Amino acid sequence: MLLRMQISGKGVDIRSTGYWEIGAGLLMRSLDKKRRYTYENDESDVEEEAVGEDTGVERRWGSREGLELVKSYYERLILEFPYNRQFQRSVSALDFWPAMVGCEIYGVQIEQKEGLRKVEKQEEKDDEDDGSGDESLDSDEIEEEDPEEDIFTMNQRREEKVRRKRAEKRWVERDDVRRRALAASEKIAAKLEEVMTIPPYSDSHNLLRLRGMLALYIGDLSVPAMPLDQDEEDDEEAMGRKSQRLGGLDKNIERRFLYRQRVAEHERGQKVKRAERERAAKLFDRIISDGGEDEDIRDFSLGMNDPEDEEIDDGGEGV
């Protein structure tokens, strides 16, 4: 509507009035307000109202659908008002690109936070449960039990297996959230890399800063959590009971292989994180060398050049 607005039959340049920023804010919240006044998804609305009220939890600004509208809005502005060297002071695509990318990064981060919050809520339910949840034991897991054990010991072992099974399920859920955020962030980074191949985008301090911050975020997302520790003593006992049955060791071997695979992925992620931090430091150095003043990125660059910090980071401490 702002793009089509006219006064006395003449179009209005929304760039000179700052209306383009107002338009983005209105689009972000438009569908959110409509949803609040409908009778659909009442439970989710109540849950969303509770978030952020005396809980200290960040509440989503706008809606997922509103964010898509904002992206389309900025894409249209980028096409309609390209950068023109003759009018360098005019608001153009050089200003719209950082705004759009910032919104996209916010969308990825808030989706990640909401996903992790759901996993945490389920963990709280697990703690309140007495062990009779949906993580029932498989038939082969029941067969692992020693019939000579007393009922109390047997129940203790069952509860411990259910607890570990739940913990494994939550680990997988958290890792799924991480993988989705990583894929979305890498997609944004690829788009930025393409845009920043030519001036003035390649020299924009705003875009350089965003790309550097995105590199740090991608680095963090590249490192999966360490897998859950295996109970070696319990595994040895289970292997001893299973060794008497044909193919009884297959599942235990598979579990150990998966554990080692996850450890290797964690170690590869640490290497990716270091590479992304170096990428971010180079981008921030470009801003500083070009006269950009920002204490945050200056402190980060200085920290990356400190050999003691690198040794601590390589040792896995101080992260």
Side-chain angles (χ1 to χ4, degrees):
M1 185 176 68
L2 285 171
L3 294 174
R4 297 192 300 268
M5 185 172 61
Q6 293 185 346
I7 297 179
S8 300
K10 296 182 180 180
V12 176
D13 188 349
I14 63 174
R15 299 175 298 167
S16 60
T17 58
Y19 285 163
W20 66 274
E21 297 172 300
I22 298 175
L26 292 174
L27 284 173
M28 181 72 86
R29 299 299 301 270
S30 58
L31 294 181
D32 182 49
K33 291 181 178 179
K34 287 181 181 179
R35 186 174 61 81
R36 288 178 181 279
Y37 289 101
T38 62
Y39 291 98
E40 299 177 0
N41 301 324
D42 288 340
E43 293 183 2
S44 62
D45 286 344
V46 172
E47 181 179 345
E48 190 172 313
E49 288 288 346
V51 174
E53 294 181 3
D54 301 327
T55 62
V57 178
E58 181 181 358
R59 178 177 174 180
R60 174 190 283 271
W61 182 67
S63 64
R64 188 180 295 108
E65 297 80 4
L67 179 60
E68 291 300 319
L69 290 177
V70 171
K71 287 168 58 179
S72 299
Y73 169 72
Y74 278 130
E75 287 170 354
R76 181 175 175 182
L77 289 176
I78 288 169
L79 293 175
E80 190 164 338
F81 303 106
Y83 174 78
N84 190 329
R85 184 171 297 184
Q86 294 180 344
F87 304 98
Q88 296 185 19
R89 294 183 178 275
S90 297
V91 177
S92 66
L94 190 59
D95 303 284
F96 301 140
W97 266 109
M100 183 177 70
V101 171
C103 287
E104 289 183 286
I105 295 175
Y106 169 78
V108 174
Q109 291 180 328
I110 199 67
E111 289 287 339
Q112 181 196 14
K113 290 178 181 179
E114 289 181 349
L116 293 176
R117 191 157 57 238
K118 289 179 181 178
V119 178
E120 290 175 1
K121 287 185 177 180
Q122 188 58 51
E123 276 185 329
E124 292 175 1
K125 292 181 180 179
D126 291 345
D127 294 338
E128 296 173 358
D129 197 356
D130 59 357
S132 58
D134 59 347
E135 292 81 4
S136 56
L137 298 180
D138 299 331
S139 58
D140 58 343
E141 290 176 313
I142 296 176
E143 288 178 5
E144 292 177 9
E145 297 176 351
D146 188 351
E148 297 182 0
E149 289 181 337
D150 59 87
I151 297 298
F152 178 76
T153 304
M154 190 178 297
N155 286 338
Q156 277 190 322
R157 287 188 179 276
R158 284 188 178 183
E159 289 178 2
E160 177 61 21
K161 287 178 181 178
V162 169
R163 185 193 66 78
R164 272 192 279 166
K165 196 169 184 179
R166 285 175 173 172
E168 166 68 14
K169 186 176 181 180
R170 304 304 163 228
W171 188 95
V172 171
E173 289 172 347
R174 281 195 175 91
D175 200 57
D176 286 342
V177 172
R178 178 191 67 84
R179 289 178 184 274
R180 289 196 298 271
L182 177 59
S185 299
E186 289 176 337
K187 186 177 179 180
I188 297 172
K191 182 166 61 177
L192 261 181
E193 291 286 347
E194 185 177 354
V195 172
M196 297 173 67
T197 54
I198 57 174
Y201 304 100
S202 58
D203 302 321
S204 168
H205 288 190
N206 287 333
L207 290 178
L208 287 170
R209 179 184 173 85
L210 276 173
R211 185 62 187 90
M213 292 298 181
L214 192 57
L216 295 177
Y217 186 44
I218 289 174
D220 290 338
L221 291 173
S222 298
V223 185
M226 280 293 289
L228 303 173
D229 292 333
Q230 290 183 314
D231 192 334
E232 298 293 341
E233 182 178 348
D234 188 63
D235 282 345
E236 289 176 3
E237 291 181 9
M239 287 175 66
R241 291 191 293 270
K242 282 177 146 185
S243 61
Q244 302 175 359
R245 302 197 303 273
L246 182 62
L249 297 178
D250 289 347
K251 190 168 184 179
N252 199 60
I253 293 174
E254 181 182 348
R255 187 163 55 242
R256 292 192 173 206
F257 175 77
L258 180 61
Y259 176 83
R260 291 170 184 168
Q261 190 178 38
R262 288 174 174 174
V263 171
E265 187 177 355
H266 175 84
E267 293 173 352
R268 286 194 299 269
Q270 291 286 7
K271 293 180 180 178
V272 173
K273 182 176 181 179
R274 284 193 288 271
E276 291 295 331
R277 286 175 63 85
E278 290 174 2
R279 182 200 298 268
K282 291 178 181 178
L283 292 167
F284 295 156
D285 285 341
R286 285 182 58 188
I287 297 175
I288 295 171
S289 62
D290 195 35
E293 292 294 334
D294 193 314
E295 292 184 4
D296 292 339
I297 63 175
R298 187 181 296 276
D299 292 342
F300 177 82
S301 296
L302 291 173
M304 285 296 293
N305 294 328
D306 190 342
E308 294 183 0
D309 289 347
E310 292 180 3
E311 291 178 1
I312 292 175
D313 187 55
D314 290 339
E317 298 178 3
V319 178

